[in-house]
Amino acid sequence: SVADQESETKPGASFVFLPGTIQASEYGTKVHELFESTPWIDALGPNELEDTLASNIDEADEVEISAMQEVLKNLNTDPVSSIFRKSSFPLNPIAWLEKRFELIDEGKWISGTFDRVVVQQDEKQRATTADVYDFKTNKVSSQEEVDEACAHYAPQLAIYRLALSRLLGIPEQEVRSHLVFTRLAKVVEVEQPF
C-alpha cells in the first residue's frame, strides 16, 4: 500500500527518538554550551581553561565528559584556539556568543542564533569587520566530507552574513563565515559569491 511505502521512506517517531540520536543532540548542545563558557582564552592558563570547562559539566555524565574533552582539544589546537584569542584580531574585538537575531529581508522573517561572532571595531567602536563561526559536531573525517558539509551549510552561512551585515551596518563583503568542525579541530572559511 501507499501508506506502507511512505513509512519505509519517511523516518517516523521511532527514528527521531533513537537513543543515539538523542545522545548526539545532547552532545552537540553541550559542546555549544562549553564554547559559550569561554569567550576569550588569552589570559587563561591550561589548568584554568580545564577548570572553567569542568565547572560547566556533570562529571557523572559520559556525554558531557566527552563533550568537554572535545572542546578542550579544540581550545588547545590551532586554528580553533586562535578564534578564542583576542590577540588574533587586531581591531578591538568583541565576541558575541550564542546570540539570537531576527530581521525581515524582502518581506521574509529570518531568525536564528549565531554560535560565535567576532566583531572588530575602529577607534570609535564602530564595527568594521565581522567573522561568524558556526560549530559543527558532525562526524566528518575526510576532506570530501568537509567539502560536502561546507556546500550543505553555505545557504545557512549566507543568511548569517546578511544578518550580520544588516545588524552591524557594514557591507556584506566585510563579513566572513566559517565552519568549525569540532571532531577534526578544523576551521574552514566558506566563501560566498557577491
Side-chain angles (χ1 to χ4, degrees):
S1 78
V2 173
D4 290 336
Q5 290 173 352
E6 284 184 0
S7 67
E8 289 176 20
T9 59
K10 290 183 181 177
S14 62
F15 172 81
V16 174
F17 296 109
L18 286 174
T21 305
I22 292 171
Q23 193 172 27
S25 175
E26 290 172 359
Y27 181 86
T29 299
K30 183 48 73 172
V31 165
H32 280 77
E33 287 173 7
L34 291 170
F35 277 129
E36 184 181 8
S37 74
T38 53
W40 299 110
I41 62 171
D42 301 72
L44 296 176
N47 292 340
E48 290 175 289
L49 178 56
E50 190 168 348
D51 291 347
T52 297
L53 296 174
S55 70
N56 288 288
I57 67 164
D58 174 355
E59 293 184 8
D61 186 318
E62 289 182 28
V63 171
E64 292 195 10
I65 291 168
S66 180
M68 184 188 100
Q69 290 169 343
E70 185 160 306
V71 169
L72 190 58
K73 173 186 79 172
N74 277 265
L75 293 176
N76 284 312
T77 305
D78 277 332
V80 179
S81 66
S82 68
I83 70 175
F84 289 86
R85 294 188 190 286
K86 275 189 171 187
S87 58
S88 299
F89 301 93
L91 299 176
N92 191 23
I94 58 169
W96 293 354
L97 312 169
E98 296 295 327
K99 184 134 178 141
R100 294 194 46 72
F101 68 88
E102 294 184 14
L103 66 105
I104 296 177
D105 180 55
E106 297 180 6
K108 295 179 187 171
W109 177 41
I110 301 171
S111 66
T113 304
F114 301 119
D115 291 347
R116 181 179 184 83
V117 175
V118 176
V119 180
Q120 296 191 72
Q121 307 171 96
D122 64 16
E123 62 281 348
K124 294 184 180 177
Q125 295 186 327
R126 291 179 299 213
T128 57
T129 65
D131 289 90
V132 60
Y133 300 94
D134 197 51
F135 301 113
K136 298 300 180 190
T137 56
N138 305 36
K139 291 184 178 182
V140 296
S141 58
S142 69
Q143 187 58 48
E144 181 181 347
E145 290 173 329
V146 167
D147 293 343
E148 288 172 6
C150 287
H152 177 76
Y153 291 113
Q156 174 189 356
L157 293 172
I159 290 170
Y160 287 177
R161 289 171 62 104
L162 172 68
L164 275 172
S165 170
R166 297 271 176 84
L167 292 168
L168 295 171
I170 61 176
E172 204 171 328
Q173 294 85 337
E174 297 300 326
V175 180
R176 291 178 299 277
S177 55
H178 313 265
L179 292 175
V180 179
F181 295 98
T182 62
R183 293 192 190 263
L184 298 175
K186 182 173 187 159
V187 180
V188 179
E189 184 172 355
V190 179
E191 297 188 21
Q192 302 286 326
F194 293 103

